[in-house]
Structure formats: structure tokens, C-alpha cells
Amino acid sequence: MLPAVSIALALLFSIHPAASPSGLRVLDATDHAVANAVVRVWMPPSGPNDLASRLVPLCEARTSETGWANCSVPRLAGALVTVDARQFEPLLQELDGSPVKQVVLRSGLSVRGHIASPQHLTPEVMKHATLHATAAIDLTNRKQTFRFERDGAVNENGDFTIGGLPASEVSVRLDVDGFLPWTAQRKPGEILEARLQPGAVVRGQVIDEKGLPVGGARVEERGNAPSPTSESRE
């Protein structure tokens, strides 16, 4: 009886093989899986023929260690897939109605630079400096902009880099304690020089309507302070 059961099970699995994961798979240029990428599927609210409409999110998921995202892609012309993964160029792929099961990411470009005269900055200050870049990619046929953000690092010598950027212009912001925020608009490949300007210190006290001090209050700057100028070279 046991051999018959084994034969029946073997026939069952040969007729019904294990199903492959559903959704979309994200790979790099060497066909390796990209984990922890954010996959979003967008579609027009009024159907595929309304190219003037803004896209609305349909699905969002992160890829697993095997590169699969549990986010099905509709066979619908006019829909869009965006994939955002650190160190890779952001992907925007408009669909034409053909089935899509996987996408391939390209290595992102980098913006590099250094802080001018970093000797007056201690390694501890450098350690807590924050570096941020924003890339805006326009879909002109839909009058819609997609923004992708990347974080970079500053070493103790004042050198910094941000990777995973597209070829378009990006906005770079560097924040260092005790100095005004430094900003620049540059394309990847340029070497930036950040000239920091010391910031003013505002001191005061937060009180309630009775004149009593308020602890733990959050104080934020309002208004537009002038940004330090930047230089770049090829």
C-alpha cells in the first residue's frame, strides 16, 4: 500500500509543480536579487487613456532577500512601476500593457565633495553631520514629479559622498552643528566644496501663560536664512 501512495504523491507533484512567488522581482545588472527595495505600482485614476491625469498609488511593498515584492503589476497601459533602492539609480518604468515579472536596476551615480578648511571642525562634530540629497524626476506627459531621497556620510577629514543617484540634477544639503545649512544644486560627477558659515546662537526661555518655565518644548527656526554659497569643479 505504501508504494502506491508514494507513486500517487510523485505523480501529483509532477503534475502540479510548486508555484513561483507572485508579484515583482527586482534584480541588479548581474542578475543578483536586490533586497529591501521599495516597489510601488501607480495607475491613472480615470483609466489608461487619460494621459493628462495624475497617477495614484495602487500597491507598495518591500523586496525580500530573494528580490520578490508582494506587489502585482497590472497588465494595463499607462500604469507605472517605481523602484527605490539605496545605492541604485531610481527606476521609473511606464507600462504598455505587456506582462512584467521583473525589473533590473542600474548602479547609481555619486556626488562627492569636501568641507573647505575642516580643521576647525572636530571629529565628533563631523560624526554627527548629516548629508542629504533629493532627486526629482519629472513625467512631463502627466505633469507629475517623483522625488527620491538619499543619505550620505561625512568622514573625519571632511570628505563626503552620496550614492544611488540618477543622472539628473540633485539637491544636496549638509547640516553641521554650529553652522548654517549648506545647500547646492549639482549633477552627479561634480566635486563639491562646502564653505560653511558659522550660525548665530539664539537663546531664550519657553514659558506658559502664567510665566512658568516649560520643559521639553521643541523650538524650531522659522523663516528663510541665506544659504552659504557653494563651488564645484569637474
Side-chain angles (χ1 to χ4, degrees):
M1 190 69 181
L2 288 177
V5 173
S6 300
I7 294 173
L9 289 174
L11 290 174
L12 177 63
F13 282 105
S14 64
I15 297 173
H16 301 284
S20 60
S22 61
L24 183 72
R25 196 180 191 201
V26 180
L27 305 173
D28 63 15
T30 60
D31 287 337
H32 287 89
V34 177
N36 207 35
V38 179
V39 176
R40 295 182 178 92
V41 177
W42 308 75
M43 59 189 307
S46 302
N49 297 322
D50 186 5
L51 294 181
S53 62
R54 292 178 62 84
L55 295 162
V56 294
L58 174 67
C59 177
E60 177 177 331
R62 285 187 178 271
T63 55
S64 64
E65 292 296 325
T66 58
W68 284 97
N70 188 22
C71 204
S72 299
V73 180
R75 296 181 60 175
L76 176 65
L80 178 80
V81 174
T82 64
V83 182
D84 190 9
R86 303 299 179 184
Q87 304 307 315
F88 290 94
E89 182 177 346
L91 173 74
L92 279 77
Q93 182 171 326
E94 292 192 82
L95 306 181
D96 59 5
S98 304
V100 177
K101 290 294 292 182
Q102 72 177 35
V103 294
V104 178
L105 301 184
R106 298 184 297 184
S107 296
L109 303 177
S110 298
V111 165
R112 296 181 296 116
H114 69 279
I115 300 175
S117 302
Q119 62 270 15
H120 59 282
L121 298 174
T122 65
E124 187 67 20
V125 171
M126 293 288 196
K127 179 181 178 181
H128 292 94
T130 58
L131 186 64
H132 191 73
T134 303
I137 303 177
D138 295 320
L139 289 181
T140 54
N141 62 327
R142 296 188 182 278
K143 299 179 181 180
Q144 191 164 354
T145 300
F146 290 86
R147 298 188 181 278
F148 298 89
E149 298 183 347
R150 296 287 185 267
D151 294 323
V154 182
N155 66 19
E156 62 182 13
N157 298 318
D159 300 319
F160 58 83
T161 182
I162 306 178
L165 300 172
S168 58
E169 189 174 73
V170 298
S171 300
V172 181
R173 175 174 173 138
L174 173 65
D175 289 285
V176 180
D177 287 345
F179 295 85
L180 295 176
W182 176 85
T183 60
Q185 295 276 355
R186 292 293 183 270
K187 286 188 175 181
E190 298 182 35
I191 299 176
L192 306 179
E193 186 175 71
R195 297 184 178 275
L196 302 180
Q197 296 180 6
V201 177
V202 177
R203 293 183 175 89
Q205 185 182 35
V206 180
I207 58 175
D208 60 18
E209 66 275 6
K210 297 180 180 180
L212 299 176
V214 177
R218 180 183 179 90
V219 179
E220 296 181 350
E221 175 193 2
R222 290 295 177 92
N224 297 319
S227 297
T229 58
S230 62
E231 297 180 1
S232 66
R233 62 180 187 274
E234 298 294 338

